Amino acid sequence: MTDAPRGPGSGSEPPGPPVVSVLRTEADHAWLPPEAFRVLGSRRVLVSGTGPLVDTVHGEVAAACERFGGTVTRAREGTASAGSAYDLLLCLEEAAERGDEGFTLARERGRTVVTATGQRGLLHGLFHVVRLGAAAFDGEHAPEAHRPALATRMLDHWDNVAVHPVMGQVERGYAGGSLFWRDGRARGDLERVRAYGRLLAACGINAVSVNNVNVHEAEAHLLTDRIGDVADIADALRPYGIRTHLSVTFAAPVVLGGLTTADPLQEEVRAWWAGATERVYAAIPDFGGYVVKADSEGQPGPFAYGRSHADGANLLADALAPYGGTVHWRAFVYDHRQDWRDRTTDRARAAYDHFVPLDGAFRDNAVLQVKHGPVDFQTREPVSPVIGAMPRTRLAVEIQATQEYTGQQRHVCALAPMWSQVLRFRPGGAAAARVGELARGGLVAVSNAGDDPYWTGHPLAQANLYAVGRLGWQPDADPLALLDEWIELTFTPEAGPDPERLRAGLRAVLRDSWRTYEKYTAPLGVGFMVQPGHHYGPSVDGYEYSPWGTYHFADRNGIGVDRSRATGTGYAGQYAAPWAEVYESAGTCPDELLLFFHHVPYGHVLHSGTTVIQHIYDTRFEGVAEVAAARETWASLAGLVDDARHARVAERYEEQLRCAREWRDQVNSYFLRKSGVPDAHGRRIH
Amino acid sequence: MTDAPRGPGSGSEPPGPPVVSVLRTEADHAWLPPEAFRVLGSRRVLVSGTGPLVDTVHGEVAAACERFGGTVTRAREGTASAGSAYDLLLCLEEAAERGDEGFTLARERGRTVVTATGQRGLLHGLFHVVRLGAAAFDGEHAPEAHRPALATRMLDHWDNVAVHPVMGQVERGYAGGSLFWRDGRARGDLERVRAYGRLLAACGINAVSVNNVNVHEAEAHLLTDRIGDVADIADALRPYGIRTHLSVTFAAPVVLGGLTTADPLQEEVRAWWAGATERVYAAIPDFGGYVVKADSEGQPGPFAYGRSHADGANLLADALAPYGGTVHWRAFVYDHRQDWRDRTTDRARAAYDHFVPLDGAFRDNAVLQVKHGPVDFQTREPVSPVIGAMPRTRLAVEIQATQEYTGQQRHVCALAPMWSQVLRFRPGGAAAARVGELARGGLVAVSNAGDDPYWTGHPLAQANLYAVGRLGWQPDADPLALLDEWIELTFTPEAGPDPERLRAGLRAVLRDSWRTYEKYTAPLGVGFMVQPGHHYGPSVDGYEYSPWGTYHFADRNGIGVDRSRATGTGYAGQYAAPWAEVYESAGTCPDELLLFFHHVPYGHVLHSGTTVIQHIYDTRFEGVAEVAAARETWASLAGLVDDARHARVAERYEEQLRCAREWRDQVNSYFLRKSGVPDAHGRRIH
């Protein structure tokens, strides 16, 4: 990865450098409120080094000091040996590779020192100090090296340039409009884009793709005649160390280039991509690369020319290679026109079947971007068997911050615990590597941010955006600790009248919210049961007779999908040992995935000791009760959170409770009617 | 009903009157092809009388004669006694009331004579001769009086002026765009509107409402500043004796008039409507009146002011009365935000509960427009109990030509047999009056026509549009005879190489098509089971947990809605004897309505001798087999029908067969999974 290009001010004498403005808007209700900088801003700080990102660091410190009474000094070179005149040193030691994102933190003799060998590292070090708060200036610490586990921590925006007649401005967006586009044009608010970049940098994101992977007419042109719009965004994100990527259509040589083919092995096609890419880099020298959804849900791809997905990905990889760019090639390829009558076809198998045979065939700068589960971002899925099965391929794990299937930012659903489970999973068994280690291509999340004043629609959904970056940096981080981090930064409890009550309340509503959501929606890993199209709210049979490959096969006797090798689709056999065996048998399969792997009678007894049908009833009732309790907890925080934010969340809890009841009642009624088994506790089921 | 105003040419000396052009376009593939006029156009015809509609009659005859070699003479006065110089006399004898639509047909001494006492009657007489064809000039007939049974035969267009974001240009329209509107403006093709009026007149329609009963922003203004657009349409329809009506919003005084209330008892509101209506009649002297959907599915109405629907309807009736106008007030009032958990609320009861207590409270020029069934144009419903229960109210029966729930003009579904059942039904029992006699307010159909070259999307759906007018004229007409009429006019079999095979083929695919459609869709009167929103294709539980009041309550033991008095919602008690008793008991309820009235076990034995579950399986298989057979029959007609029309229908049969299979398989799978009862014949159910 190359570093950001130097701005015009780089190398100039530090005295009197321009203070890079730190944006503050009414909308800035996220994890960098002014108060989060109090500890830092009340100190004596030295910033040393040169370069645009050092300017950014200096600007952040200067703004904080201006607000909280500290002082900042700027020096040209690293001065870690400077005297006791400073409480905090932020030093760029440009000895190592320029792109290095790591930094070292130490504290001795009452002085905190951050050193970095790359500008990005210094920026990360600054935000690390902000996260630490008072602890950064407390006691002594031996030098501690920090370095991201995954080189790429990326957000994919499914933002459309032109408003799509069905999907709108942002596909699966629940946070207002796009930060980048509006009604066919660039939105033009580059200050907001810069503020977004600042938030992302502060949690560790270093790459953003600015448009939907479904590339429609208007969006296709971003690659060519509208590259200037992308360059403007890249300019706004660059000061925070974020590289800009672009989703492109595989058919671009035809659609934009006037060629008669997009065959990846045709020389004219290769030449077209080479030329187009050269022009992209002329506009954006640190451009990150392309994102491609090919041969998927109607998007064009190499299959049309009888070529493999490796052929397709390598075509773009070769075009990007001279400039250090990367192609992110999505593995989300399956038959979306499946016949529901055909029980032999299993969508869950598709990514493995398509891609694993291609292991080793992809270029080094081609990243295969694999959804964390085999189907589509359901509330509960097993980890995709593709991860771990392609050792010679750079895989990125794709997660979904935007809550398409997890409450659409009207429900609280803190996803870090789920993502953490995925990243800690060991596809090769207890002694083997974790997903977080295998994901050499990085962690990619579909963004949940938009032009909403709270960025994410539901103010508490910010915690998911925050966790993306932090888990990318450290995939084995404790997800609950990350929630606490986000709480401390965002709500700065110590600044209020009752910090412990505020912390406790926020933890209470967030920590188990994913499991709460799971409890009232589709049970035991079976997935879907959402309303078709928009995917909000329950429809138990909504996808049962559809072409999308998403079935639960409930009948009067039982429910679930038999994906065993012995009697089912064989999907369980895509896993390595020990998982292939664990999942193969209903006796060893974890409860929470039982119906994903097995069709069982309603009377099947779970490891938990209850029957499947009683589990369905029990957890639906529990889930609603938990939402009701969370709503009360939130209500009790009035006065500890600013009124507008409190009101926004309170309003969303009303909807969450209404919708959770609807889930409970529809799911329970559906299964009571089908199974005929009464609730053991005699509760009312309609 | 007043007659059309006289055009400038009325009263002028007949010799050399302008020949009113008879439109012929490529699009004119309906029941007035040139060939249908051959018998008439090859005769010596005398047209006598004055007035614009006589001009229309003369124009029709003149065009036919020009094409087929006949001659037409125009005389000022009725000359029924004219000599043998003519084969056909069309004579206006303006002795009786001007608006009379009746006519008399006689044939003696080799001369056919049509006499009418009103211009409209003469026009109807002309088209009657066209329908009779050669038979009109064969043998001798004693004078035979013809007169419409229902004074109003009306089409309601659910056409939007502005394209609605969800519903599009035409709500529930399956025939291209609107004939009247496009993208917020008048479509402007008044020739096409005139051609449409001609088709309608030829089947007996005499009123058209030009915009959707859901009146949105743009449409509201048709009443005031955009009345000119309506007047243009009225001008184009008037030569064919058709009056123009307008859907208005009950909130017009607020929305358009700037008042703070639309309370029907407020004097300012009454004054506003009086003024607005005066201006409408200044623009359209023969304006028909208003159509109103009030307090229904979100439309405003009198309930907001604590007033009754009679108060609301009478407000508009009073405004219209001075000009001879009529308000059509829809009885489609129900709770569309019902809780599916609440089994005591029954949408089927709503119209009766709301309106029957108001019997006698409506003005004479207020027509209460009642859907033929109690729910919403399902394939099979009982006749609405409102009809027959309001003897002191002018009721219109509303039917739906646009095939919202009957295949959306992708499936062949000739509806005349269904409508005929409704119109022949005797709400008071065997000795009492039929619906067709009780509907003093007329027959109203939601139009299925649009700017499609074949007018109705599916060329065979024209038969439904045709039947609307013919059944309005004669509600006890044989619906199969009407289909034959339409076939003869539209396809003019005698003009082709094998008339009998063409006739037989068309009859075969049309006659039972409604029952075929019923066989593969929702069984035994239970209704719905369509996909939510667009209502096309199966979704057995699609409306089962919705707020729309449309449930089947299927569980593992049985299915159906208990609407009995004894144990159900009491809906059956809304009928008079003998129907209240017939419907009350599952033992006497007709099979085809069983699940509408009763919840029964799957093993319940129908009068037909089969169980409910076996009936479901059997009829689904039969329905698909019948569609497959119809497709083959249609294929065999290639060469007997013009190629473009044949191809269009053939293409739609492919889709109908695909969709019918989907219905069969989804419905059968759903009930097999739920009931566990295997098909007695061992056919494959998925």
Side-chain angles (χ1 to χ4, degrees):
Chain A
M1 183 166 287
T2 62
D3 205 350
R6 301 306 172 99
S10 63
S12 63
E13 186 57 40
V19 172
V20 177
S21 74
V22 176
L23 296 159
R24 294 261 173 268
T25 71
E26 285 300 300
D28 201 6
H29 301 296
W31 53 83
L32 292 181
E35 193 60 29
F37 288 80
R38 176 179 291 279
V39 173
L40 173 80
S42 54
R43 294 294 196 294
R44 298 164 303 164
V45 185
L46 175 69
V47 176
S48 74
T50 56
L53 270 62
V54 182
D55 295 345
T56 301
V57 170
H58 175 252
E60 289 285 345
V61 176
C65 289
E66 189 170 353
R67 179 180 290 264
F68 295 109
T71 59
V72 61
T73 304
R74 179 84 187 263
R76 177 195 274 270
E77 290 174 9
T79 48
S81 58
S84 59
Y86 302 107
D87 306 309
L88 172 64
L89 278 67
L90 295 158
C91 304
L92 176 64
E93 294 177 343
E94 205 135 1
E97 51 172 321
R98 292 167 56 219
D100 189 4
E101 294 197 294
F103 61 91
T104 299
L105 178 82
R107 181 167 172 84
E108 49 185 6
R109 286 166 292 149
R111 216 181 51 175
T112 302
V113 181
V114 173
T115 52
T117 57
Q119 294 184 56
R120 293 180 186 211
L122 196 69
L123 190 65
H124 292 307
L126 166 74
F127 287 121
H128 185 69
V129 171
V130 172
R131 274 196 297 274
L132 288 173
F137 300 97
D138 193 24
E140 304 272 304
H141 308 300
E144 191 179 76
H146 295 263
R147 181 172 293 279
L150 303 179
T152 303
R153 290 91 56 198
M154 182 168 178
L155 285 179
D156 280 5
H157 277 260
W158 287 354
D159 298 13
N160 296 315
V161 175
V163 176
H164 186 274
V166 175
M167 290 300 174
Q169 188 75 70
V170 181
E171 180 159 333
R172 309 303 178 188
Y174 316 105
S178 166
L179 288 162
F180 307 129
W181 317 105
R182 182 186 288 159
D183 293 337
R185 292 193 299 277
R187 184 167 173 275
D189 184 354
L190 294 169
E191 291 290 289
R192 185 79 192 263
V193 174
R194 185 186 155 93
Y196 183 52
R198 178 172 176 259
L199 282 177
L200 299 187
C203 70
I205 302 288
N206 67 356
V208 166
S209 175
V210 299
N211 64 305
N212 190 358
V213 291
N214 292 317
V215 179
H216 310 292
E217 167 71 20
E219 294 74 22
H221 287 267
L222 296 177
L223 174 64
T224 52
D225 46 303
R226 298 185 69 170
I227 191 66
D229 290 342
V230 184
D232 290 343
I233 295 169
D235 289 345
L237 296 176
R238 187 175 294 113
Y240 285 97
I242 291 165
R243 289 175 82 176
T244 297
H245 298 240
L246 188 64
S247 292
V248 297
T249 170
F250 192 77
V254 176
V255 175
L256 301 170
L259 304 191
T260 56
T261 178
D263 181 347
L265 300 194
Q266 290 289 320
E267 190 45 49
E268 59 180 339
V269 172
R270 302 179 65 80
W272 188 87
W273 276 108
T277 304
E278 181 180 14
R279 288 184 289 277
V280 168
Y281 277 91
I284 310 170
D286 61 342
F287 178 69
Y290 300 135
V291 179
V292 186
K293 175 179 180 178
D295 289 319
S296 173
E297 296 180 341
Q299 294 296 310
F303 284 166
Y305 307 99
R307 309 305 183 187
S308 76
H309 276 258
D311 293 332
N314 291 343
L315 165 73
L316 302 190
D318 289 346
L320 290 160
Y323 314 97
T326 302
V327 58
H328 284 80
W329 189 267
R330 296 180 83 230
F332 187 53
V333 177
Y334 70 101
D335 179 3
H336 70 290
R337 293 192 177 142
Q338 186 175 334
D339 189 335
W340 60 268
R341 302 163 188 82
D342 163 24
R343 294 208 186 186
T344 62
T345 301
D346 181 1
R347 170 174 171 176
R349 293 185 56 113
Y352 186 102
D353 288 343
H354 280 297
F355 286 95
V356 171
L358 298 175
D359 187 33
F362 291 92
R363 298 279 189 273
D364 282 348
N365 66 327
V367 167
L368 187 64
Q369 188 165 314
V370 182
K371 292 195 180 191
H372 69 82
V375 182
D376 194 15
F377 300 136
Q378 298 303 289
T379 309
R380 179 77 70 169
E381 292 189 40
V383 171
S384 168
V386 174
I387 307 168
M390 297 185 71
R392 294 179 295 154
T393 306
R394 282 177 68 199
L395 297 185
V397 174
E398 184 177 302
I399 58 179
Q400 193 181 43
T402 194
Q403 292 172 237
E404 177 176 0
Y405 294 102
T406 52
Q408 303 198 351
Q409 283 132 267
R410 289 183 251 186
H411 299 224
V412 179
C413 188
L415 293 165
M418 175 170 90
W419 297 335
S420 175
Q421 276 195 2
V422 171
L423 293 167
R424 293 176 187 220
F425 182 78
R426 297 180 190 272
R434 293 176 164 177
V435 167
E437 298 164 279
L438 295 167
R440 295 187 294 119
L443 182 68
V444 180
V446 184
S447 177
N448 64 351
D451 73 356
D452 172 66
Y454 296 96
W455 298 94
T456 53
H458 199 308
L460 300 184
Q462 289 173 11
N464 292 330
L465 188 57
Y466 182 82
V468 171
R470 299 288 293 129
L471 283 171
W473 185 281
Q474 187 189 351
D476 62 352
D478 174 2
L480 301 183
L482 296 182
L483 282 174
D484 285 347
E485 244 182 54
W486 176 77
I487 289 170
E488 292 298 314
L489 287 170
T490 305
F491 293 89
T492 57
E494 291 299 340
D498 196 342
E500 273 317 310
R501 193 156 69 80
L502 177 55
R503 277 188 195 104
L506 286 162
R507 283 174 182 162
V509 302
L510 280 166
R511 287 191 161 209
D512 288 325
S513 55
W514 164 52
R515 286 184 184 81
T516 296
Y517 185 82
E518 181 183 32
K519 281 180 178 177
Y520 57 80
T521 56
L524 297 166
V526 78
F528 281 86
M529 299 192 172
V530 293
Q531 291 198 30
H534 59 65
H535 298 167
Y536 186 75
S539 177
V540 179
D541 272 358
Y543 278 91
E544 189 57 17
Y545 301 93
S546 82
W548 296 93
T550 52
Y551 316 115
H552 55 63
F553 301 125
D555 62 21
R556 74 200 316 257
N557 302 312
I559 179 176
V561 188
D562 185 353
R563 291 189 161 109
S564 68
R565 274 166 299 161
T567 55
T569 68
Y571 167 80
Q574 291 186 337
Y575 289 88
W579 298 110
E581 291 311 311
V582 167
Y583 295 145
E584 175 70 12
S585 155
T588 52
C589 183
D591 282 353
E592 68 271 15
L593 291 171
L594 180 65
L595 302 184
F596 190 92
F597 283 101
H598 297 281
H599 189 94
V600 299
Y602 292 116
H604 176 93
V605 179
L606 298 168
H607 299 117
S608 69
T610 59
T611 61
V612 165
I613 187 73
Q614 191 59 42
H615 171 90
I616 291 174
Y617 298 151
D618 288 347
T619 47
R620 295 328 93 178
F621 283 110
E622 284 168 29
V624 170
E626 288 170 14
V627 173
R631 186 184 63 152
E632 291 313 303
T633 300
W634 182 261
S636 77
L637 301 183
L640 303 182
V641 174
D642 69 275
D643 291 349
R645 179 151 44 183
H646 191 273
R648 168 80 76 100
V649 173
E651 167 199 312
R652 297 207 171 206
Y653 265 122
E654 294 304 311
E655 166 56 18
Q656 182 175 1
L657 185 58
R658 183 205 65 74
C659 188
R661 286 178 173 143
E662 199 62 34
W663 270 101
R664 175 194 67 194
D665 291 343
Q666 287 199 31
V667 171
N668 281 350
S669 290
Y670 180 96
F671 286 104
L672 175 62
R673 290 189 193 180
K674 210 148 202 167
S675 72
V677 180
D679 174 35
H681 307 297
R683 290 163 293 197
R684 177 147 194 221
I685 297 177
H686 301 269
Chain B
M1 182 165 287
T2 61
D3 205 347
R6 302 305 172 101
S10 62
S12 66
E13 186 57 40
V19 171
V20 177
S21 73
V22 176
L23 296 160
R24 292 264 176 267
T25 71
E26 284 301 299
D28 203 6
H29 302 294
W31 53 85
L32 291 182
E35 192 60 29
F37 288 80
R38 176 179 294 277
V39 172
L40 172 80
S42 53
R43 294 295 197 293
R44 298 165 301 162
V45 186
L46 175 70
V47 176
S48 75
T50 57
L53 270 61
V54 183
D55 294 345
T56 301
V57 169
H58 175 252
E60 289 285 346
V61 175
C65 290
E66 189 169 352
R67 179 179 291 265
F68 295 108
T71 59
V72 61
T73 305
R74 181 82 185 262
R76 178 194 274 271
E77 290 173 8
T79 47
S81 58
S84 59
Y86 303 107
D87 305 307
L88 171 64
L89 279 67
L90 293 159
C91 305
L92 178 63
E93 294 178 344
E94 207 136 4
E97 49 172 321
R98 291 169 56 220
D100 189 3
E101 294 196 294
F103 62 90
T104 299
L105 178 84
R107 180 166 173 83
E108 49 184 5
R109 287 168 288 151
R111 215 180 54 174
T112 301
V113 180
V114 173
T115 51
T117 59
Q119 293 185 56
R120 294 179 186 213
L122 196 68
L123 190 64
H124 293 308
L126 165 74
F127 288 121
H128 185 71
V129 171
V130 173
R131 274 195 297 275
L132 288 174
F137 300 96
D138 191 26
E140 304 270 305
H141 308 301
E144 187 180 77
H146 295 262
R147 180 172 294 277
L150 303 179
T152 304
R153 290 94 54 200
M154 182 168 178
L155 285 179
D156 280 5
H157 277 260
W158 287 356
D159 297 12
N160 297 315
V161 176
V163 176
H164 186 275
V166 176
M167 291 299 174
Q169 189 75 69
V170 181
E171 182 160 334
R172 309 303 178 188
Y174 315 104
S178 166
L179 289 162
F180 306 130
W181 317 104
R182 181 186 289 161
D183 292 338
R185 293 191 298 277
R187 184 166 173 278
D189 184 354
L190 294 169
E191 289 291 288
R192 184 79 192 262
V193 174
R194 185 184 154 97
Y196 183 53
R198 177 171 177 262
L199 281 177
L200 300 186
C203 69
I205 301 289
N206 66 356
V208 166
S209 175
V210 297
N211 64 305
N212 190 358
V213 291
N214 292 317
V215 179
H216 310 291
E217 168 70 20
E219 294 74 23
H221 287 266
L222 295 177
L223 176 62
T224 53
D225 47 303
R226 299 186 67 170
I227 191 66
D229 290 341
V230 184
D232 289 343
I233 296 168
D235 288 345
L237 295 175
R238 188 175 294 114
Y240 285 97
I242 292 165
R243 288 177 82 177
T244 297
H245 298 241
L246 189 65
S247 292
V248 298
T249 171
F250 192 76
V254 176
V255 175
L256 302 170
L259 304 190
T260 57
T261 178
D263 181 348
L265 300 194
Q266 290 290 319
E267 192 43 52
E268 59 180 341
V269 172
R270 302 178 66 78
W272 188 87
W273 277 109
T277 304
E278 182 180 12
R279 288 184 289 276
V280 167
Y281 277 90
I284 310 169
D286 61 342
F287 179 69
Y290 300 135
V291 179
V292 187
K293 175 178 180 178
D295 290 319
S296 173
E297 298 181 338
Q299 294 295 310
F303 284 165
Y305 307 100
R307 311 302 184 190
S308 76
H309 277 258
D311 293 332
N314 291 343
L315 165 73
L316 302 189
D318 290 346
L320 290 159
Y323 315 96
T326 302
V327 58
H328 284 80
W329 191 268
R330 296 181 84 228
F332 186 54
V333 177
Y334 71 101
D335 179 3
H336 70 290
R337 294 193 176 141
Q338 185 175 333
D339 189 336
W340 59 268
R341 301 164 189 83
D342 164 24
R343 294 209 186 185
T344 64
T345 301
D346 181 2
R347 170 173 171 177
R349 291 186 57 111
Y352 186 101
D353 288 343
H354 280 297
F355 286 95
V356 170
L358 299 175
D359 187 34
F362 290 90
R363 298 279 189 274
D364 281 349
N365 65 329
V367 166
L368 187 64
Q369 190 164 313
V370 182
K371 291 193 181 192
H372 68 83
V375 181
D376 193 16
F377 299 135
Q378 297 304 290
T379 309
R380 178 78 72 167
E381 292 189 41
V383 172
S384 169
V386 174
I387 306 166
M390 297 185 71
R392 294 180 294 155
T393 306
R394 280 177 69 198
L395 296 185
V397 174
E398 184 177 302
I399 59 180
Q400 193 180 41
T402 194
Q403 291 172 237
E404 176 177 0
Y405 296 101
T406 51
Q408 302 198 352
Q409 282 132 267
R410 289 183 252 185
H411 298 223
V412 178
C413 189
L415 292 164
M418 174 170 91
W419 297 335
S420 176
Q421 277 197 359
V422 171
L423 293 167
R424 293 175 186 220
F425 183 77
R426 299 180 189 271
R434 294 177 163 175
V435 167
E437 297 165 279
L438 295 166
R440 295 188 294 118
L443 182 67
V444 180
V446 183
S447 176
N448 63 350
D451 72 356
D452 171 66
Y454 295 97
W455 299 94
T456 53
H458 199 308
L460 302 183
Q462 290 173 9
N464 292 329
L465 186 59
Y466 182 83
V468 170
R470 297 290 291 130
L471 283 171
W473 185 280
Q474 186 189 349
D476 62 354
D478 174 0
L480 300 184
L482 295 183
L483 282 175
D484 286 345
E485 242 182 56
W486 176 78
I487 289 169
E488 292 299 315
L489 286 172
T490 305
F491 293 89
T492 55
E494 293 298 343
D498 195 342
E500 273 319 310
R501 193 156 68 83
L502 177 55
R503 276 187 196 105
L506 286 162
R507 283 173 181 163
V509 302
L510 280 166
R511 287 191 161 209
D512 288 324
S513 54
W514 163 53
R515 286 182 183 82
T516 294
Y517 186 81
E518 182 184 33
K519 282 182 178 178
Y520 57 81
T521 58
L524 297 166
V526 78
F528 281 85
M529 300 192 172
V530 292
Q531 291 199 29
H534 58 66
H535 297 167
Y536 185 76
S539 176
V540 179
D541 271 0
Y543 277 92
E544 189 59 15
Y545 300 95
S546 84
W548 296 93
T550 49
Y551 317 117
H552 54 64
F553 301 126
D555 62 21
R556 73 199 317 258
N557 302 311
I559 179 175
V561 189
D562 184 352
R563 291 189 162 106
S564 69
R565 275 167 299 163
T567 56
T569 69
Y571 168 80
Q574 290 185 340
Y575 289 88
W579 298 110
E581 291 311 312
V582 167
Y583 294 146
E584 176 69 14
S585 156
T588 52
C589 184
D591 283 352
E592 67 272 16
L593 291 171
L594 181 65
L595 302 184
F596 191 92
F597 283 101
H598 297 282
H599 188 94
V600 300
Y602 292 116
H604 176 94
V605 178
L606 298 168
H607 299 117
S608 68
T610 60
T611 61
V612 165
I613 188 72
Q614 192 57 44
H615 172 90
I616 290 175
Y617 299 151
D618 288 347
T619 47
R620 293 331 93 177
F621 284 110
E622 284 169 30
V624 171
E626 287 170 15
V627 173
R631 186 184 61 151
E632 293 312 304
T633 300
W634 181 261
S636 77
L637 301 183
L640 302 183
V641 174
D642 68 274
D643 290 348
R645 179 152 43 184
H646 191 272
R648 170 80 77 102
V649 173
E651 167 200 311
R652 297 207 171 206
Y653 264 121
E654 294 304 312
E655 166 55 18
Q656 181 175 0
L657 184 58
R658 183 206 65 77
C659 189
R661 287 177 173 147
E662 198 62 34
W663 270 101
R664 175 194 66 192
D665 292 342
Q666 288 198 30
V667 171
N668 281 351
S669 290
Y670 180 97
F671 286 105
L672 174 61
R673 290 188 193 180
K674 212 148 199 166
S675 72
V677 180
D679 174 37
H681 306 296
R683 289 163 293 197
R684 180 149 192 217
I685 297 177
H686 300 271

